[in-house]
Amino acid sequence: ISAVLLLFRQKWRTSINRSAEAMTIFAVMCAGLFPLMHTGRPWLAAYWLFPYPNSMDIWPQFRSPLIWDVFAVGTYLTVSLLFWYLGMVPDLASFRDRAKARVAQVILGVLSIGWRGSAVHWERYEMASLMLAGLATPLVLSVHSVVSFDFAVSIIPGWHTTIFPPYFVAGAIFAGFAMVLTLMIPLRRLYGLQDFITDRHLDNMGKVMLVSGLIVAYGYFMEQFIAWYSASIFESFLMQNRMFGEPYGWTYWALLVCNIAVPQLLWSKRVRLNTIWLFIVSMFINVGMWLERFIIVVTSLHRDYMPSSWDVFSPTI
C-alpha cells in the first residue's frame, strides 16, 4: 500500500506509511510461521522447504504451492524490511544527533548509515525509495496471487477457480486498510496526533477501502455466477451448502453483511470523517475477512467428494 502510494506521488501517505509498513512486517512474520507448521513436525521437515545443498541431494518440490509460499513470503519480508528501514534513516539520524549516551550515539550512527541531510543524500534517498517501491508494488500482486494458488491449483470445489488471484489481492488491500485504521484511530486519539493524521488521511483511506471492498464484492458474486455457469454439480452443491448448509450457513450471510453491506456506509463523507464510525466499519471488515478465510477453508473441506469423509469442524479456545 505504502509503495503504491509512493509511486503515484500521493503525499498524504507520509502520515500512514510507517504504520502500514510496520504492520506488514509483523503480519509477514506471522505468515512465515504457517508453512512451517503446516508441514507437520517442523523440527524434522521444515528445513526441506529451503533449497540448500545437502549431502542427501534432496531438493524442494518446486511444483508444490507450499514452496511457492516460502519464496513469496521470504521475498516479501526482505523487501518490506528494506522499505521500512530506508524510510526511517532520516529519523534515526535525528535520534543520533539528539542522543546523549555514547552507546546510543554509536548504535544510531551505524543504523543511520552516515546520513547528514544534504541535498545529495536526499536525492539518493528518494531514488532508492522509488526503486524499492517499484520492486514492492509487483510483490503486492505476486505474493497474494501465490497464496491464492495454494487453493486454486487444487481440485476441491470452491478452491479450484481462476478468480482467486485478483480476489485475494483486492482482499489484501481491503483488509490492510481496515487493519491500519484499527491501529491508527486509537493511537491518533491516545497520542494527540490529529495534526499529523488529519481528516484528509482518514477520508482517503475510507475511499480506498470502499473501492477495494467493491472489488471483493464482485469476487463473491462471480463465485456464485461461475458455480452456476460451470454446470458442475459439485460447484453448485458447494455454493448451496455455503449459503444454506448446516452448521455454517450463517457464516456466509454474516460475511456479506460485514464485507459488502456495512462498507457501503463509506459512500458518506460524514462516516469517513467520523473516527468512531470509521473504526466500527474497519472492525466489521476485520471480522468479515476472518469469516472469508473460515468459509474458504472450512466450508470447502467439510463436505468433500466422498460422503464418508464428511465431518464438522469444531473450533476450540
Side-chain angles (χ1 to χ4, degrees), residues 2 4 33 41 46 58-59 76 88-89 114 131 156-157 159 175 181 191 196 217 226 240 258 282 296:
S2 183
V4 172
L33 295 174
R41 297 192 294 174
I58 294 176
W59 288 83
Y76 201 42
M88 288 199 302
V89 167
M131 286 172 63
I156 294 172
W159 290 5
L181 281 169
Y191 292 102
F196 185 62
I226 289 167
Q240 288 174 6
C258 291
S282 65
I296 288 172

Side-chain angles (χ1 to χ4, degrees), residues 1 12 15-16 19-20 23 173-189 197-210 212 263 266 271-286:
I1 291 167
W12 62 272
S15 289
I16 66 159
S19 306
M23 190 195 75
I173 296 169
F174 187 45
F177 267 94
M179 185 53 77
V180 170
L181 281 169
T182 304
L183 297 171
M184 276 177 49
I185 289 172
L187 288 173
R188 178 179 185 259
R189 181 70 179 272
I197 302 164
T198 64
D199 288 347
R200 178 170 173 250
H201 296 108
L202 300 177
D203 187 35
N204 285 339
M205 291 174 79
K207 288 176 183 174
V208 174
M209 231 164 35
L210 176 62
S212 52
L266 295 170
V271 173
R272 294 198 304 270
L273 296 181
N274 186 313
T275 52
I276 294 172
W277 273 108
L278 200 56
F279 185 77
I280 290 169
V281 171
S282 65
M283 288 302 293
F284 266 97
I285 292 167
N286 290 331

Side-chain angles (χ1 to χ4, degrees), residues 1 8 25 37-38 59 65 78 99 112 120 140 166 195 212 257 270-271 276 281 293 301 304:
I1 291 167
F8 283 101
I25 290 162
M37 290 191 289
H38 290 173
W59 288 83
T78 306
S112 58
V120 173
V140 173
D195 293 336
S212 52
V257 169
R270 283 185 181 180
V271 173
I276 294 172
V281 171
R293 269 59 176 178
L301 290 175
D304 205 343

